[in-house]
mmCIF file of all heavy atoms in Angstrom:
data_model
loop_
_atom_site.group_PDB
_atom_site.id
_atom_site.type_symbol
_atom_site.label_atom_id
_atom_site.label_comp_id
_atom_site.label_asym_id
_atom_site.label_seq_id
_atom_site.Cartn_x
_atom_site.Cartn_y
_atom_site.Cartn_z
ATOM 1 N N GLY A 119 -150.311 -90.089 1.070
ATOM 2 C CA GLY A 119 -149.263 -89.306 1.724
ATOM 3 C C GLY A 119 -147.868 -89.707 1.357
ATOM 4 O O GLY A 119 -146.904 -89.239 1.923
ATOM 5 N N LYS A 120 -147.722 -90.625 0.408
ATOM 6 C CA LYS A 120 -146.365 -91.062 0.009
ATOM 7 C C LYS A 120 -146.123 -90.742 -1.461
ATOM 8 O O LYS A 120 -147.048 -90.768 -2.268
ATOM 9 C CB LYS A 120 -146.186 -92.553 0.248
ATOM 10 C CG LYS A 120 -146.256 -92.911 1.735
ATOM 11 C CD LYS A 120 -145.947 -94.367 1.933
ATOM 12 C CE LYS A 120 -145.997 -94.703 3.409
ATOM 13 N NZ LYS A 120 -145.674 -96.121 3.642
ATOM 14 N N LEU A 121 -144.886 -90.500 -1.742
ATOM 15 C CA LEU A 121 -144.503 -90.140 -3.122
ATOM 16 C C LEU A 121 -144.499 -91.380 -4.005
ATOM 17 O O LEU A 121 -143.896 -92.387 -3.666
ATOM 18 C CB LEU A 121 -143.114 -89.497 -3.120
ATOM 19 C CG LEU A 121 -142.602 -89.028 -4.464
ATOM 20 C CD1 LEU A 121 -143.469 -87.870 -4.962
ATOM 21 C CD2 LEU A 121 -141.153 -88.573 -4.343
ATOM 22 N N VAL A 122 -145.246 -91.271 -5.096
ATOM 23 C CA VAL A 122 -145.252 -92.388 -6.047
ATOM 24 C C VAL A 122 -145.016 -91.828 -7.436
ATOM 25 O O VAL A 122 -145.172 -90.648 -7.693
ATOM 26 C CB VAL A 122 -146.595 -93.146 -6.016
ATOM 27 C CG1 VAL A 122 -146.800 -93.796 -4.675
ATOM 28 C CG2 VAL A 122 -147.749 -92.226 -6.373
ATOM 29 N N GLU A 123 -144.632 -92.725 -8.371
ATOM 30 C CA GLU A 123 -144.417 -92.366 -9.783
ATOM 31 C C GLU A 123 -145.449 -93.103 -10.605
ATOM 32 O O GLU A 123 -145.584 -94.314 -10.509
ATOM 33 C CB GLU A 123 -143.012 -92.745 -10.262
ATOM 34 C CG GLU A 123 -141.941 -91.877 -9.653
ATOM 35 C CD GLU A 123 -140.583 -92.203 -10.220
ATOM 36 O OE1 GLU A 123 -140.514 -93.170 -11.017
ATOM 37 O OE2 GLU A 123 -139.613 -91.534 -9.892
ATOM 38 N N VAL A 124 -146.152 -92.371 -11.425
ATOM 39 C CA VAL A 124 -147.206 -92.950 -12.247
ATOM 40 C C VAL A 124 -146.763 -92.878 -13.704
ATOM 41 O O VAL A 124 -146.407 -91.809 -14.197
ATOM 42 C CB VAL A 124 -148.540 -92.203 -12.056
ATOM 43 C CG1 VAL A 124 -149.619 -92.846 -12.890
ATOM 44 C CG2 VAL A 124 -148.915 -92.191 -10.583
ATOM 45 N N THR A 125 -146.756 -94.031 -14.384
ATOM 46 C CA THR A 125 -146.370 -94.076 -15.791
ATOM 47 C C THR A 125 -147.557 -93.686 -16.644
ATOM 48 O O THR A 125 -148.629 -94.278 -16.518
ATOM 49 C CB THR A 125 -145.889 -95.482 -16.190
ATOM 50 O OG1 THR A 125 -144.814 -95.832 -15.348
ATOM 51 C CG2 THR A 125 -145.455 -95.513 -17.630
ATOM 52 N N GLU A 126 -147.325 -92.746 -17.536
ATOM 53 C CA GLU A 126 -148.407 -92.265 -18.386
ATOM 54 C C GLU A 126 -148.267 -92.901 -19.749
ATOM 55 O O GLU A 126 -147.186 -92.917 -20.334
ATOM 56 C CB GLU A 126 -148.336 -90.740 -18.481
ATOM 57 C CG GLU A 126 -149.526 -90.116 -19.178
ATOM 58 C CD GLU A 126 -149.432 -88.604 -19.118
ATOM 59 O OE1 GLU A 126 -148.590 -88.075 -19.855
ATOM 60 O OE2 GLU A 126 -150.143 -87.977 -18.360
ATOM 61 N N GLU A 127 -149.317 -93.419 -20.269
ATOM 62 C CA GLU A 127 -149.276 -94.140 -21.552
ATOM 63 C C GLU A 127 -149.034 -93.175 -22.696
ATOM 64 O O GLU A 127 -149.632 -92.116 -22.785
ATOM 65 C CB GLU A 127 -150.585 -94.884 -21.776
ATOM 66 C CG GLU A 127 -150.575 -95.704 -23.052
ATOM 67 C CD GLU A 127 -151.867 -96.463 -23.231
ATOM 68 O OE1 GLU A 127 -152.671 -96.479 -22.303
ATOM 69 O OE2 GLU A 127 -152.045 -97.009 -24.322
ATOM 70 N N VAL A 128 -148.127 -93.562 -23.565
ATOM 71 C CA VAL A 128 -147.830 -92.793 -24.770
ATOM 72 C C VAL A 128 -148.555 -93.468 -25.912
ATOM 73 O O VAL A 128 -148.937 -94.624 -25.825
ATOM 74 C CB VAL A 128 -146.305 -92.761 -25.018
ATOM 75 C CG1 VAL A 128 -145.980 -91.888 -26.214
ATOM 76 C CG2 VAL A 128 -145.618 -92.233 -23.783
ATOM 77 N N GLY A 129 -148.739 -92.831 -27.065
ATOM 78 C CA GLY A 129 -149.494 -93.382 -28.186
ATOM 79 C C GLY A 129 -148.883 -94.655 -28.734
ATOM 80 O O GLY A 129 -147.785 -95.085 -28.369
ATOM 81 N N VAL A 130 -149.617 -95.258 -29.687
ATOM 82 C CA VAL A 130 -149.177 -96.509 -30.315
ATOM 83 C C VAL A 130 -147.900 -96.246 -31.098
ATOM 84 O O VAL A 130 -147.796 -95.262 -31.844
ATOM 85 C CB VAL A 130 -150.283 -97.057 -31.232
ATOM 86 C CG1 VAL A 130 -149.820 -98.334 -31.914
ATOM 87 C CG2 VAL A 130 -151.546 -97.307 -30.439
ATOM 88 N N ARG A 131 -146.962 -97.107 -30.952
ATOM 89 C CA ARG A 131 -145.674 -96.963 -31.618
ATOM 90 C C ARG A 131 -145.768 -97.340 -33.093
ATOM 91 O O ARG A 131 -146.334 -98.372 -33.449
ATOM 92 C CB ARG A 131 -144.644 -97.844 -30.924
ATOM 93 C CG ARG A 131 -143.277 -97.767 -31.564
ATOM 94 C CD ARG A 131 -142.345 -98.731 -30.886
ATOM 95 N NE ARG A 131 -141.055 -98.742 -31.539
ATOM 96 C CZ ARG A 131 -140.101 -99.622 -31.270
ATOM 97 N NH1 ARG A 131 -140.341 -100.542 -30.371
ATOM 98 N NH2 ARG A 131 -138.949 -99.580 -31.885
ATOM 99 N N ILE A 132 -145.203 -96.499 -33.952
ATOM 100 C CA ILE A 132 -145.168 -96.790 -35.402
ATOM 101 C C ILE A 132 -143.898 -97.573 -35.683
ATOM 102 O O ILE A 132 -142.791 -97.090 -35.429
ATOM 103 C CB ILE A 132 -145.194 -95.490 -36.219
ATOM 104 C CG1 ILE A 132 -146.449 -94.695 -35.896
ATOM 105 C CG2 ILE A 132 -145.111 -95.798 -37.699
ATOM 106 C CD1 ILE A 132 -146.476 -93.327 -36.543
ATOM 107 N N GLU A 133 -144.060 -98.756 -36.183
ATOM 108 C CA GLU A 133 -142.881 -99.565 -36.478
ATOM 109 C C GLU A 133 -143.138 -100.402 -37.723
ATOM 110 O O GLU A 133 -144.246 -100.879 -37.950
ATOM 111 C CB GLU A 133 -142.544 -100.479 -35.301
ATOM 112 C CG GLU A 133 -143.688 -101.379 -34.868
ATOM 113 C CD GLU A 133 -143.349 -102.177 -33.610
ATOM 114 O OE1 GLU A 133 -142.270 -101.943 -33.068
ATOM 115 O OE2 GLU A 133 -144.160 -103.004 -33.217
#
Side-chain angles (χ1 to χ4, degrees):
K120 295 185 179 181
L121 182 66
V122 295
E123 289 184 356
V124 181
T125 303
E126 188 175 74
E127 183 178 351
V128 184
V130 179
R131 179 184 176 189
I132 301 173
E133 56 185 4

